[in-house]
Amino acid sequence: MRLSLFKRKPDPERIEVSHAGVLYPVQIKRRASARRMTLRVSQASGEITLTLPERADFAAGRLFAENHGGWIAARLAKRPQLIPFEPGQTIPFRGTPHRIVHWSKARGLTRATKDQDGAPILAVAGESAHVPRRIKDFLRRAALEDLEAAVARHTAALGIPARRITIRDTTSRWGSCSSQGHLNFSWRLILAPPLVLDYLAAHEVAHLKEMNHSHRFWALTHKLCPRTEEAEAWLKRHGAGLHAYG
């Protein structure tokens, strides 16, 4: 009974931090591995997270977050401006800018083509209200098609098959590989140049053999995708911007 008297009250799921009259929701997480309090603002989703060590005082954590209200506002201000999937907007498709064109109200397929001046466009048919959904569906299908082809090529070279390929809209990672051989990827890779998608496919396929990030893993990844460093550099510079679309 005495131990229960000293049991820590559960942390709230989130708190609000105020700066210049604006309230920012901050999610609270406890991690046993954390050695200090940290604040993170996701450039992909805009989500703000306060991570606390297991034994850290919650009140001290709240004060830490409140003292960084200006930093939170500055980080959010640096996020790329959101670009909706609407007619007239330009979005990258396999690394090349394409303008979204609503060309017909009749039913039809969404396709990547060129306009009368030879400029790349994504032509969308159907009711205008469905344009955003049709563009996203088109991009997801194209991403799955390209990733399946890339994974098939790299698994053939490796000699180990992937059991399943899944497309998601993740914000913390571009791809993952489970111990069961299931590969998961962000559909947003279809927005990047083909080299980047191919690298991510090679990266996750390499995990089928090396479930780590050891020297052996990186040697295998470079063997499957010799332009690994170039692709990683592109992701470092432009990756967060892919989450601005849609």
Side-chain angles (χ1 to χ4, degrees):
M1 291 294 292
R2 182 173 296 176
L3 290 176
S4 65
L5 296 176
F6 298 96
K7 187 175 182 180
R8 187 180 65 220
K9 292 175 59 177
D11 297 330
E13 292 185 0
R14 60 175 53 83
I15 61 174
E16 289 186 331
V17 171
S18 175
H19 177 74
V22 179
L23 292 177
Y24 299 99
V26 180
Q27 293 198 14
I28 308 299
K29 289 186 179 180
R30 291 262 182 191
R31 285 188 179 173
S33 60
R35 296 186 177 182
R36 58 188 177 87
M37 300 177 190
T38 58
L39 266 176
R40 179 178 180 272
V41 177
S42 171
Q43 290 296 292
S45 65
E47 183 178 271
I48 310 163
T49 305
L50 170 64
T51 301
L52 302 175
E54 192 63 35
R55 295 180 179 273
D57 178 62
F58 174 74
R62 178 191 287 275
L63 182 61
F64 174 76
E66 291 173 345
N67 288 339
H68 285 80
W71 179 86
I72 291 173
R75 291 291 294 172
L76 288 172
K78 291 181 179 180
R79 289 188 68 214
Q81 183 177 0
L82 298 181
I83 301 173
F85 291 154
E86 295 178 352
Q89 297 286 0
T90 298
I91 66 172
F93 176 61
R94 295 184 176 130
T96 300
H98 283 64
R99 183 168 53 90
I100 298 175
V101 176
H102 181 216
W103 66 274
S104 173
K105 290 185 178 181
R107 289 187 177 183
L109 296 176
T110 300
R111 56 196 180 97
T113 184
K114 293 183 178 181
D115 63 17
Q116 58 185 7
D117 297 321
I121 63 172
L122 294 179
V124 190
E127 294 295 329
S128 59
H130 301 314
V131 168
R133 177 179 59 80
R134 289 181 181 273
I135 286 291
K136 188 173 182 178
D137 289 347
F138 169 80
L139 294 173
R140 289 178 67 95
R141 287 194 300 270
L144 181 59
E145 178 182 329
D146 286 10
L147 283 162
E148 285 180 337
V151 167
R153 184 171 63 255
H154 293 311
T155 53
L158 186 65
I160 302 176
R163 293 191 175 182
R164 186 173 68 192
I165 301 174
T166 304
I167 300 297
R168 297 177 179 174
D169 192 6
T170 53
T171 58
S172 61
R173 59 178 63 184
W174 297 108
S176 63
C177 174
S178 74
S179 57
Q180 292 77 36
H182 299 164
L183 305 184
N184 301 304
F185 298 95
S186 168
W187 65 262
R188 294 178 183 275
L189 291 172
I190 198 63
L191 304 175
L195 164 66
V196 176
L197 182 145
D198 183 72
Y199 157 67
L200 261 300
H203 184 113
E204 300 309 332
V205 165
H207 278 313
L208 293 173
K209 185 173 184 179
E210 298 287 345
M211 190 60 75
N212 51 60
H213 284 101
S214 64
H215 291 300
R216 294 189 304 274
F217 165 80
W218 285 112
L220 181 55
T221 301
H222 278 79
K223 183 178 181 181
L224 295 173
C225 178
R227 298 170 67 187
T228 286
E229 291 183 1
E230 182 182 346
E232 284 212 320
W234 190 96
L235 278 172
K236 185 176 181 179
R237 291 194 304 269
H238 308 291
L242 299 184
H243 292 281
Y245 296 98

